[in-house]
Amino acid sequence: MTVTIFGATGTVGRQLVKQALFKGYKVIAFGRNVFTTDFPKDDNLELLQGALFDEEQVYDAVKGSNAVLSAIGGAFDGTDKARSLGMKNIINQMDKAGVERIVALGGMGILNADDGTLLIDGENYPQQYVPVGLEHKKAYEHLKASNLDWTFVCSPDIINADATGEFVVNADYPPTPNKYKINAGDLALFMVNELEKNEFIKLRVGISN
C-alpha cells in the first residue's frame, strides 16, 4: 500500500510515518519542513516538500497513492485555515487523482452530544477550543459533502507519547470511559489500522486512552 501523509512533520504526523513504515507501506510524507524533520531512514519513505494550499503540489502528492492520512495542525485561535481549506484542497485533488480513502484528524468538539447536537455547540464547551473547533467543523463538512470513503478521528487533548495499544473508540460520540486525552502514538496506531480495517467509513470517531 502507498499512503500519502499530510501534516507529516507534526506530533501525530511523525507517529503516522513511523507506524505506516513499520507496516511496510510506501509512505509519501508531505509538508513544508519534511527535509528538516528527523524521520527514520527507510527506503519506503519519500519526502515531498510542498504547500497545502497549492493544488498542483497536493495533486502530485496523492497521485498514485492508495490512501491518505491527514494530521493537519496549526494555530488554535482560528486564524489558521489549514485545517478547513487544506482539507478542501486535499479532497479536490483526491477526486482528480481517483484516490478514495482518507483517515483524517479532527477535534472532539465535532462529536455528537447526548441530545444529538455537536459538543462544540453546547453551553459548557470550553471557549478556548471554539475557534479551532470551528475549523475542524468546516473540515468535517467538506468530508461529509465529498464522495470519499472518509473517517474523521475527533481527538481530545493529544499527549506527545508513543503507542500503548490501550485505548477506546466510539462512532460519532465520545467513548466510554473518556479520559479526555490520547497518546499521539495511539492516535496514529488507530488511524493506520483503520486504513485496512475500514470499520468507520463515513463516520466520526471518538477516542481516548
Side-chain angles (χ1 to χ4, degrees):
M1 181 183 288
T2 299
V3 179
T4 301
I5 299 178
F6 292 97
T9 61
T11 301
V12 177
R14 293 194 303 272
Q15 291 278 353
L16 287 171
V17 170
K18 181 172 72 172
Q19 295 189 36
L21 289 172
F22 181 76
K23 276 187 166 285
Y25 296 164
K26 179 182 177 184
V27 175
I28 301 168
F30 181 91
R32 290 173 298 180
N33 304 312
V34 288
F35 289 109
T36 57
T37 301
D38 187 21
F39 288 120
K41 303 299 181 184
D42 196 298
D43 290 340
N44 281 331
L45 177 60
E46 177 185 350
L47 303 181
L48 194 60
Q49 188 173 35
L52 194 57
F53 296 145
D54 188 294
E55 294 181 6
E56 186 175 343
Q57 290 175 347
V58 171
Y59 175 80
D60 288 341
V62 300
K63 181 179 60 177
S65 287
N66 300 109
V68 168
L69 292 166
S70 173
I72 302 169
F76 272 67
D77 61 3
T79 60
D80 189 331
K81 304 300 180 184
R83 294 176 178 87
S84 60
L85 297 181
M87 180 59 66
K88 184 178 182 180
N89 190 31
I90 290 170
I91 291 168
N92 288 341
Q93 304 318 314
M94 287 178 67
D95 276 337
K96 290 180 184 178
V99 182
E100 298 178 352
R101 185 70 172 110
I102 181 171
V103 180
L105 178 61
M108 195 178 76
I110 310 308
L111 295 170
N112 291 341
D114 289 338
D115 63 1
T117 63
L118 298 183
L119 291 175
I120 193 175
D121 296 327
E123 293 181 0
N124 296 325
Y125 193 77
Q127 288 302 300
Q128 67 267 30
Y129 294 132
V130 170
V132 69
L134 292 174
E135 278 294 289
H136 286 141
K137 184 177 179 181
K138 290 175 184 176
Y140 166 57
E141 289 169 348
H142 290 315
L143 286 167
K144 192 175 179 181
S146 76
N147 295 317
L148 302 182
D149 291 330
W150 56 267
T151 302
F152 199 50
V153 186
C154 302
S155 78
D157 287 339
I158 299 171
I159 309 301
N160 188 9
D162 289 332
T164 65
E166 298 180 3
F167 53 87
V168 290
V169 296
N170 195 21
D172 290 331
Y173 288 84
T176 303
N178 187 6
K179 297 182 179 178
Y180 297 93
K181 62 182 180 66
I182 184 71
N183 285 5
D186 286 319
L187 198 50
L189 180 62
F190 171 79
M191 292 174 71
V192 171
N193 285 341
E194 174 61 16
L195 286 182
E196 291 184 356
K197 291 184 177 181
N198 295 320
E199 293 178 337
F200 296 93
I201 299 290
K202 298 185 187 297
L203 291 171
R204 292 158 290 156
V205 180
I207 188 169
S208 172
N209 280 123

